[in-house]
Amino acid sequence: MLGLSPRGVGLLVAAFLFTTAAYAHPAPPRVISLAPHATELAYAAGLGEQLVAASAYSDYPDEAKTLERVSNYRGIKLERIVALKPDLILAWRGGNPPKPLETLAQLGIEIRYLDVEKLDDISGFIRELGRYGRHPEIAQKNAAAFDQKLRALRTRYQDATSVPYFYLLSGAPLMTASDHAWPSQLFRLCGGANIFADSPAAYPQVNMEQVITRKPHTVFYTGGELPASWQSMKDLLPSLAQHYAFQLNPDWLTRATPRALQAATQICEALDTVRRAT
C-alpha cells in the first residue's frame, strides 16, 4: 500500500527481482490497468485476455467487471500489484499517485501513461496498445472505426449554427465544466457554445444568477434528474432553456474512450432539436 518506508520499498524490489529472475516475461505481457478509461482502451486494443487486474469502476465491457481491483481513489495496492507480476501497467497522471508508480518502474515494470487530451488521441492510444497484444488487427480495426465516426461528425457539424448551452455537473454546489475540461470537446464538436467557456478552472463552481445572465438555450446534465434548486429558478432562464434539458450518459461523456462518440451523438441530436426550435 502507499506509505512504504525506503527500507520497505527496498525489500519489495528485492522480492520482486527474486521471484522473477528464474523466468523471462511471458509474451504477450500481463497487463494491469489503473484507470477506467485505460481499461476500456485496453479492451478496444484487443488486450482483454492479458488484463489481470484493474482499477475500481472499470466496468466496461462486461468482462472487466470480473477483474481484481488494485486501485481506487484512495490509492494503489502496491504489494498486490507486485504479486500479480505484471509486465505492463496502464496509468493516468490525472488520477494515479506518482510515488507508487515510480516504485513499480524501479522494479522494471513498464508504465504507460494514457493521458488523453483530445479526441484524436483515443485512436492513437488504441493503435499503440495493439502492439502489446496477440491480435494487433483488432486495435487497427477499432481505431479506424473510431476515426471514421469522428470524421463524419466533424464534417456534418463543422458549419452548424452555434447553440449556447449550460452543462450542469452538480447541483449542490452548482458546478459546470469550462473549455479546459474534457467534456467540452464533445459539445464543441456538435456546435455547442459553452456559456462558461472562459472560466480559468476546468470545473468551476458557479451560481444561478451567472447562469441566468449568460442566457443558455439548453441545459445538459448527467444525474438522475435536475436538482430541486434548479427547478425553483429555471423560470428565470430564456424560454428555450426552460423547455430543453437533456440527460447524458456520464460514462460516455467523461471517459476518454471510443464511447465518447456515443455521448457526442447524444449531444449533436439534442442541439439539432434546439436549432429546429429557434
Side-chain angles (χ1 to χ4, degrees), residues 24 81 95 124 140 181 184 203 269-270:
I81 289 175
Q140 293 296 329
S184 295
Y203 296 98
E269 292 174 352

Side-chain angles (χ1 to χ4, degrees), residues 208-223:
M208 195 64 183
E209 290 74 14
Q210 290 174 304
V211 177
I212 293 168
T213 58
R214 297 186 186 210
K215 297 180 172 57
H217 288 185
T218 185
V219 179
F220 292 93
Y221 64 102
T222 55

Side-chain angles (χ1 to χ4, degrees), residues 114-247:
L114 303 183
D115 300 328
V116 182
E117 296 181 356
K118 55 185 186 299
L119 284 166
D120 297 278
D121 291 342
I122 291 174
S123 58
F125 278 129
I126 292 173
R127 289 188 175 92
E128 180 182 334
L129 292 177
R131 297 188 290 105
Y132 295 95
R134 293 184 177 90
H135 304 289
E137 68 277 5
I138 294 176
Q140 293 296 329
K141 177 182 177 182
N142 288 334
F146 178 88
D147 287 339
Q148 182 178 8
K149 292 176 184 177
L150 181 57
R151 283 195 302 271
L153 286 170
R154 281 175 171 161
T155 299
R156 180 173 179 180
Y157 288 97
Q158 60 184 350
D159 298 319
T161 302
S162 180
V163 178
Y165 75 90
F166 174 61
Y167 169 41
L168 178 62
L169 177 61
S170 71
L174 188 62
M175 295 183 67
T176 187
S178 74
D179 268 10
H180 299 292
W182 166 264
S184 295
Q185 295 188 58
L186 304 176
F187 292 100
R188 288 198 303 272
L189 177 65
C190 302
N194 188 349
I195 63 171
F196 289 99
D198 57 353
S199 174
Y203 296 98
Q205 183 174 334
V206 298
N207 58 60
M208 195 64 183
E209 290 74 14
Q210 290 174 304
V211 177
I212 293 168
T213 58
R214 297 186 186 210
K215 297 180 172 57
H217 288 185
T218 185
V219 179
F220 292 93
Y221 64 102
T222 55
E225 60 183 18
L226 288 166
S229 58
W230 178 270
Q231 299 287 1
S232 65
M233 298 187 70
K234 74 173 186 177
D235 290 344
L236 299 175
L237 291 167
S239 59
L240 277 172
Q242 293 180 34
H243 295 94
Y244 293 103
F246 300 95
Q247 184 179 16

Side-chain angles (χ1 to χ4, degrees), residues 22-66:
Y23 60 89
H25 282 163
R30 290 164 60 85
V31 182
I32 288 178
S33 167
L34 300 181
H37 80 279
T39 304
E40 288 194 39
L41 291 174
Y43 275 99
L47 304 186
E49 294 180 356
Q50 296 161 232
L51 280 166
V52 296
S55 67
Y57 304 107
S58 289
D59 55 7
Y60 186 87
D62 284 341
E63 300 96 288
K65 297 176 182 177
T66 65

